[in-house]
Amino acid sequence: MPTTFQKPTQKDVAEASGFAVTTVSRALAGDPLIAEKTRAKIAKVADDLGYVPDRAAQRLRTGRTNVIALVLDPHGEILDFSGSMISGFAEVVRGTKYHITLTQHQTGEDPMDPIRHIVRNRLADGLVFARTKPEDPRVQYLIETGFPFVTHGRTSMASHAWYDYDNETFAQMAVDRLVSKGRRRLLLIPPPSRYTFSAHMTDGFNRAIARHGIVGEMSSDFDLNSPSDEIYSKLKSRLLQSDRPDGLICPGEISAISSLAAIGDIDLELGQDIDVVAKQTSRVFDLHRPRIDTIHEDIAAAGQTIARALLQEIDGAAPDTLQTLQQPRPGY
């Protein structure tokens, strides 16, 4: 007869480590009153035995799941957004009692569905989501339910924890760089207007255009979220017109790659006929020749900062003290 596998218990850990069951329980829960050396020894023994906490019993006992939920939208304009965000998040959570679950929210689905599901079924102690809108119903719902959360992006509601990239400054920096190259007619590929960061970016663009006294336009029939082939074809048509822009601002790597393809296919010379400034989140442009100007956004750092903020909020920190605005910096 095959032997039935018996999942190790805290009693097994206690017997193997030589500590009392109550000490083992407190050590595995991260009790700071248990000496760090003792906690480390018990954790090693538990790991060697393959001990895994019973999360259902743990939730009944403490009201905590020791789980953090990431609800991520596809960011098609940014290469490996989810991977970089998760990597940064995991770096902070690793070594704590928390585990990460990932829910992928697809464009076109009700963004409230995964949020309600997590909260109503108490599947996590806190959650993170992105793609915020000024009046975001997810934020309002979570504030009303008192559920800990951090957003990647701001809203018009100032009382919650958030992390954001300063897209207003990004746009101004991009305009300044193109003007320094002698460009006088600039085109911004804008984010979809429904998102909060769209207003930040377009405000920065318009302000910089007015400051320099040059011509600025934003594409009206395609945006940052448009498919790459659509950006390519529509931008190519625009660049074939007599009043074509001589400078492009691409707030994502996919839009920049599409733009470079359109520029090359109509035989415009980069650096002579036209220049491009792109937001860069990876090293994809390092080997592109001729080089293009880039401004960096660190997604892994965003994940790290968001994770720290959420852990602090779960532990009782005031949400409005957990707000970070990342400043753009030169590309790689």
Side-chain angles (χ1 to χ4, degrees):
M1 294 290 291
T3 303
T4 302
F5 173 75
Q6 296 293 324
K7 189 169 74 170
T9 66
Q10 289 189 358
K11 182 179 179 182
D12 296 323
V13 177
E15 290 175 352
S17 65
F19 293 100
V21 173
T22 53
T23 302
V24 167
S25 177
R26 292 170 60 195
L28 293 175
D31 188 340
L33 296 179
I34 302 296
E36 184 176 350
K37 184 177 179 180
T38 300
R39 280 183 281 147
K41 179 178 179 180
I42 290 173
K44 184 179 186 312
V45 171
D47 187 57
D48 290 344
L49 291 177
Y51 170 78
V52 178
D54 185 333
R55 299 207 177 279
Q58 192 174 57
R59 180 166 55 181
L60 286 172
R61 184 175 67 255
T62 67
R64 292 283 185 92
T65 64
N66 292 343
V67 170
I68 291 172
L70 303 184
V71 181
L72 299 180
D73 300 58
H75 283 60
E77 82 283 5
I78 295 177
L79 293 177
D80 199 28
F81 173 86
S82 294
S84 296
M85 177 67 71
I86 294 168
S87 174
F89 207 96
E91 187 173 328
V92 172
V93 173
R94 186 182 297 112
T96 73
K97 61 185 176 182
Y98 290 97
H99 294 259
I100 302 170
T101 63
L102 176 64
T103 298
Q104 187 77 25
H105 171 256
Q106 299 299 327
T107 303
E109 297 176 346
D110 185 349
M112 283 297 300
D113 285 347
I115 305 299
R116 289 196 193 98
H117 180 70
I118 291 167
V119 173
R120 289 174 178 174
N121 293 285
R122 195 65 194 188
L123 300 179
D125 297 329
L127 61 82
V128 173
F129 61 90
R131 291 295 200 188
T132 52
K133 301 175 182 179
E135 300 294 331
D136 201 304
R138 297 168 295 180
V139 170
Q140 190 61 46
Y141 172 76
L142 291 167
I143 290 175
E144 290 173 354
T145 57
F147 196 89
F149 71 99
V150 180
T151 61
H152 182 264
R154 284 169 282 176
T155 69
S156 61
M157 292 165 270
S159 59
H160 66 92
W162 52 259
Y163 177 99
D164 203 4
Y165 177 79
D166 192 343
N167 282 288
E168 182 175 347
T169 297
F170 160 79
Q172 293 184 19
M173 287 174 62
V175 170
D176 291 346
R177 291 189 183 187
L178 289 169
V179 169
S180 72
K181 298 175 187 291
R183 302 309 174 186
R184 306 294 296 174
R185 183 180 291 272
L186 311 186
L187 182 145
L188 168 69
I189 301 176
S193 59
R194 61 184 175 274
Y195 298 128
T196 308
F197 81 104
S198 177
H200 298 153
M201 189 177 295
T202 55
D203 284 351
F205 177 73
N206 289 329
R207 192 170 292 115
I209 289 294
R211 173 163 46 86
H212 287 289
I214 59 175
V215 177
E217 66 176 285
M218 288 177 276
S219 54
S220 58
D221 56 349
F222 64 94
D223 60 36
L224 192 58
N225 273 20
S226 298
S228 58
D229 57 346
E230 182 179 340
I231 295 174
Y232 165 83
S233 61
K234 291 184 175 179
L235 180 60
K236 186 168 72 169
S237 296
R238 178 69 187 90
L239 292 176
L240 286 169
Q241 297 173 16
S242 60
D243 63 342
R244 64 170 177 80
D246 59 5
L248 301 180
I249 300 175
C250 303
E253 288 158 325
I254 298 303
S255 62
I257 292 170
S258 301
S259 299
L260 292 172
I263 290 168
D265 286 352
I266 60 175
D267 295 325
L268 291 178
E269 188 172 349
L270 195 64
Q272 294 293 325
D273 303 309
I274 192 168
D275 279 297
V276 175
V277 175
K279 182 189 292 187
Q280 186 172 7
T281 57
S282 71
R283 307 189 74 95
V284 68
F285 293 122
D286 285 7
L287 299 179
H288 185 275
R289 300 295 182 272
R291 290 186 178 275
I292 65 168
D293 208 344
T294 60
I295 299 172
H296 184 49
E297 177 177 1
D298 194 333
I299 304 299
Q304 294 169 4
T305 304
I306 290 170
R308 293 188 190 99
L310 185 57
L311 293 178
Q312 291 176 55
E313 185 175 354
I314 291 171
D315 286 341
D320 59 3
T321 66
L322 304 171
Q323 299 172 343
T324 301
L325 186 62
Q326 181 191 127
Q327 292 302 307
R329 60 181 177 81
Y332 289 109

